[in-house]
Amino acid sequence: MATTTAPGPVRPAGRPAENGAPKQPKRRGPRRSYLPYLLLVPAIVLELGIHVIPMLVGVWMSLLELTQFHIRDWSTAPFAGLENYRVTFDFSSATGKDLLHSFWVTVLYTVASVGLSWVFGMAAAVFLQRPFRGRALLRTLFLTPYALPVYTAVITWTFMFQRDTGLVNQVIEQFGLVSGDRPFWLIGDNSFVALLVVSLWRSWPFAFLCLMAGMQNIPGELYEAAAIDGAGFWRRLRDVTMPMLRPVNQVLLLVLFLWTFNDFNTPYVLFGGSAPKQADLISIHIYESSFVTWNFGLGSAMSVALLLFLLVVTTVYLLVTNRRREHA
Amino acid sequence: MRETSGERWARRIVLSLLTLFTITPLYVMLSSALKPLRDVQGPFTWLPSRPTIQPFLDMWRTVPLGRYLVNSLMVASIAALISVSIAIFAAFAISRYRFRGRQLFSVTVLSTQMFPGILFLLPLFLIYVNLGNATGIELYATRLGLIITYLTFSLPFSIWMLVGYFDSIPRGLDEAAQVDGAGPMRTLFQVILPTAVPGIVAVTVYAFMTAWGEVLFASVMTDENSRTLAVGLQGYATQYNVYWNQAMAASVVVSIPVVIGFLALQRYFVAGLTAGAVK
């Protein structure tokens, strides 16, 4: 994270110009100045007020018996110690069982969505590397789902998944893929598939955007050299493209993982608030545990547990990938 | 390096499938927005029985869409402008100065991106409610509260992208300005900002999109008066009837500004992402 070479804005026809050399500290030595701190004050105040302090308050809340009786004036909420955490991790009780189920649904959802998004994005980026007629149009089209406000996209999918008036069942029937009754997509076992499709539609364009940006920085000479050595399509992909994309992939997969794991918007809009058990993602689960039953203490404990899990996964991931990068 | 015929066919097939997947919902949204109500109440049809712009006229009355639109426009544009202004100063400091705590600040700000939104939602909800009770500053269920919340959401990524842009501006320009006797602030305003305009515009659009599309906080932190499109658009499903054609028409209208803004500036997003991803 220390140094960076930043390309300038990309010119339409060319690759980004490499002109930002790694940063050198000023030769005169940094002046001991209060100016940078002054420049950062507004950002720091906001980060503290909206991110850091609420997070600490969240940890405090998770130690309180903060039920509907104490919401109005939470200074009266009794101290509960680790009781909320005991309930959260008691996997033999109904609450713990449901939370664990929700956790595994989210893991499956994240692995499937991130994996497929990466494959789709990679396929599109590789096949759009060569110039051909209509390339710019396709690139724009592929980025459109990412630009749409999430709720408009998901409302449209909700309409498409309607049992009686939706496009999906209409197409299935026309191709004779279903015998008997039309399937339900937004309740029951199919709801997980529906959720995954919508998530994939939303997030593969982002993978495409990042991978495309990464590929623009691969010098053409590398491909020329590989071609002279007789490397075919797969060899070029494996020995030139993939190694050059390693830094992009490291960040992209992490960001996709965190976004998908914390995804609230997609299920919330798709299922209209209460998700079916088969598609009960953890964000929705915690939201309902908090606002439907007004048990904020328990909801906060679950949130903190989720945060710790994400911190551990992220730390391990960064350690492993950084070590791989050093050996590469 | 010529493309083999096998590669060409693979390319055509893969890109066709991806195009089909991408375009279907967009087509459904556009075509259904032009359908009379009875078309969307029966089995799905690919074309309207008779195209009509009636849904675009009716959608304002079914739900108070005008109010939601004004709320969203106000919240998203004010949040974006303030967020980018703050990000410019922070990015300038990080890009051009070495100071104690620089790494700590960068890491902390970026790591807030990974926290689940639900973790902030409950405490912020309680803080806003209690602050209102204690001081009379109403942040809960007001546009002001949403603005403050959203501008912080887009701040980390905006700072990160702008640092990338500023780093790509040669330091020789700064030094030339300093030789002419310009102080740091004049250097920022007269040298760096004019050079980074495309990047700044792209980041502004990103911040606008963040606020324009946020659902979770909008659903908890608003009431009938401060409700934004993100929540309001779900109002076309009433107890008696779902006005799918109007929901689609409203979706089209809501999508157009951000889609155009994003697509017009996609090149600068790519540049910004590349700048950041190398870190």
Side-chain angles (χ1 to χ4, degrees):
Chain A
M1 300 258 314
T3 59
T4 168
T5 51
V10 183
R11 287 185 300 281
R15 288 210 316 273
E18 293 281 328
N19 54 4
K23 281 181 298 208
Q24 304 287 332
K26 285 211 178 125
R27 271 156 310 171
R28 288 166 300 175
R31 277 181 306 143
R32 292 206 180 283
S33 145
Y34 57 89
L35 182 66
Y37 298 107
L38 212 58
L39 291 167
L40 287 174
V41 162
I44 290 173
V45 166
L46 278 166
E47 286 296 330
L48 281 177
I50 305 296
H51 280 139
V52 180
I53 292 173
M55 206 169 65
L56 298 174
V57 169
V59 175
W60 173 242
M61 280 165 64
S62 69
L63 303 173
L64 300 177
E65 191 189 310
L66 198 54
T67 51
Q68 70 248 42
F69 307 110
H70 306 291
I71 293 282
R72 270 276 149 230
D73 185 6
W74 55 321
S75 55
T76 63
F79 188 74
L82 295 176
E83 177 60 20
N84 288 318
Y85 289 92
R86 198 192 57 72
V87 174
T88 300
F89 290 110
D90 180 6
F91 298 134
S92 57
S93 73
T95 308
K97 260 205 194 79
D98 286 349
L99 184 70
L100 194 63
H101 168 84
S102 167
F103 174 80
W104 287 118
V105 168
T106 312
V107 168
L108 190 64
Y109 168 76
T110 305
V111 169
S113 175
V114 172
L116 288 169
S117 293
W118 187 85
V119 169
F120 280 33
M122 194 70 194
V126 165
F127 285 120
L128 287 177
Q129 258 183 309
R130 293 173 181 280
F132 60 88
R133 254 210 354 238
R135 180 169 76 146
L137 182 71
L138 276 187
R139 182 185 292 174
T140 303
L141 175 70
F142 289 164
L143 289 176
T144 305
Y146 177 66
L148 281 186
V150 57
Y151 50 91
T152 61
V154 180
I155 286 173
T156 308
W157 277 101
T158 308
F159 177 44
M160 287 164 67
F161 279 124
Q162 292 298 304
R163 178 168 179 259
D164 297 321
T165 59
L167 170 141
V168 175
N169 276 347
Q170 187 70 18
V171 169
I172 287 177
E173 277 197 339
Q174 270 173 352
F175 285 94
L177 296 172
V178 64
S179 51
D181 284 347
R182 294 178 154 214
F184 285 96
W185 289 99
L186 300 179
I187 49 173
D189 286 342
N190 292 336
S191 56
F192 183 83
V193 177
L195 180 66
L196 186 61
V197 169
V198 180
S199 159
L200 181 59
W201 191 82
R202 283 268 320 150
S203 60
W204 86 262
F206 178 74
F208 163 66
L209 179 71
C210 295
L211 292 166
M212 187 173 65
M215 284 183 196
Q216 287 184 344
N217 285 346
I218 302 178
E221 301 87 68
L222 290 181
Y223 288 109
E224 301 297 339
I228 290 167
D229 292 344
F233 176 81
W234 292 109
R235 279 293 304 273
R236 290 199 303 268
L237 189 65
R238 203 188 69 188
D239 295 344
V240 179
T241 312
M242 290 303 291
M244 294 298 286
L245 284 180
R246 190 164 289 155
V248 177
N249 276 328
Q250 185 195 20
V251 177
L252 170 65
L253 289 174
L254 180 64
V255 168
L256 274 180
F257 164 78
L258 293 171
W259 275 357
T260 315
F261 210 94
N262 292 329
D263 191 6
F264 173 90
N265 298 343
T266 316
Y268 182 76
V269 180
L270 188 66
F271 303 117
S274 64
K277 204 166 158 54
Q278 293 85 344
D280 187 24
L281 295 189
I282 197 116
S283 285
I284 290 273
H285 190 89
I286 296 175
Y287 176 84
E288 290 185 352
S289 307
S290 314
F291 278 96
V292 175
T293 58
W294 290 98
N295 191 338
F296 280 32
L298 185 59
S300 297
M302 289 177 178
S303 303
V304 173
L306 171 61
L307 176 68
L308 290 176
F309 166 77
L310 293 173
L311 273 174
V312 168
V313 171
T314 305
T315 310
V316 169
Y317 174 86
L318 287 175
L319 286 174
V320 169
T321 51
N322 278 335
R323 182 171 308 151
R324 288 244 301 269
R325 262 168 90 169
E326 277 156 27
H327 286 304
Chain B
M1 188 177 57
R2 301 219 14 257
E3 194 179 25
T4 62
S5 73
E7 280 170 42
R8 190 172 314 125
W9 278 107
R11 188 190 78 202
R12 285 173 182 163
I13 291 167
V14 167
L15 293 181
S16 302
L17 288 173
L18 286 173
T19 302
L20 193 68
F21 182 47
T22 303
I23 220 164
T24 306
L26 302 175
Y27 175 80
V28 169
M29 193 195 285
L30 282 168
S31 67
S32 306
L34 298 168
K35 285 178 180 177
L37 186 60
R38 64 168 199 287
D39 281 16
V40 293
Q41 287 172 330
F44 178 82
T45 54
W46 289 96
L47 290 168
S49 58
R50 55 172 183 85
T52 169
I53 57 160
Q54 203 57 42
F56 287 93
L57 305 175
D58 292 342
M59 67 185 189
W60 306 95
R61 283 192 301 276
T62 310
V63 301
L65 189 67
R67 188 194 313 153
Y68 301 153
L69 194 65
V70 169
N71 285 342
S72 275
L73 274 173
M74 267 183 66
V75 167
S77 44
I78 296 173
L81 289 175
I82 300 177
S83 166
V84 172
S85 311
I86 293 171
I88 284 173
F89 290 119
F92 178 59
I94 293 172
S95 168
R96 291 302 197 253
Y97 289 91
R98 296 289 162 275
F99 53 92
R100 197 184 298 255
R102 179 171 165 272
Q103 280 282 22
L104 177 71
F105 176 82
S106 307
V107 171
T108 311
V109 163
L110 265 186
S111 61
T112 58
Q113 288 287 285
M114 64 175 279
F115 300 154
I118 193 90
L119 179 72
F120 303 110
L121 179 73
L122 310 177
L124 262 187
F125 170 71
L126 282 194
I127 289 173
Y128 282 5
V129 167
N130 284 287
L131 195 73
N133 293 344
T135 63
I137 306 170
E138 285 296 345
L139 294 179
Y140 171 66
T142 61
R143 288 182 291 207
L144 178 65
L146 271 191
I147 288 169
I148 294 174
T149 312
Y150 288 165
L151 76 90
T152 316
F153 282 178
S154 50
L155 204 53
F157 197 69
S158 301
I159 294 175
W160 191 47
M161 293 243 291
L162 285 177
V163 169
Y165 283 113
F166 292 177
D167 281 351
S168 70
I169 298 170
R171 255 135 252 263
L173 292 177
D174 298 30
E175 281 154 21
Q178 276 154 16
V179 169
D180 290 345
M185 294 324 274
R186 237 182 77 193
T187 308
L188 172 63
F189 282 104
Q190 293 187 346
V191 177
I192 294 183
L193 289 193
T195 320
V197 161
I200 291 170
V201 174
V203 171
T204 311
V205 170
Y206 160 79
F208 184 91
M209 280 170 62
T210 304
W212 191 251
E214 206 284 331
V215 178
L216 173 60
F217 284 71
S219 64
V220 174
M221 300 287 209
T222 56
D223 60 12
E224 192 47 42
N225 289 320
S226 55
R227 190 161 296 164
T228 55
L229 292 164
V231 187
L233 234 59
Q234 294 166 49
Y236 288 101
T238 62
Q239 274 171 298
Y240 315 100
N241 213 336
V242 183
Y243 299 94
W244 285 115
N245 53 346
Q246 292 176 38
M248 295 295 103
S251 296
V252 171
V253 169
V254 167
S255 302
I256 283 172
V258 280
V259 169
I260 289 176
F262 177 81
L263 294 179
L265 295 163
Q266 54 171 299
R267 275 190 297 116
Y268 305 116
F269 278 102
V270 172
L273 282 169
T274 327
V278 188
K279 294 199 175 184

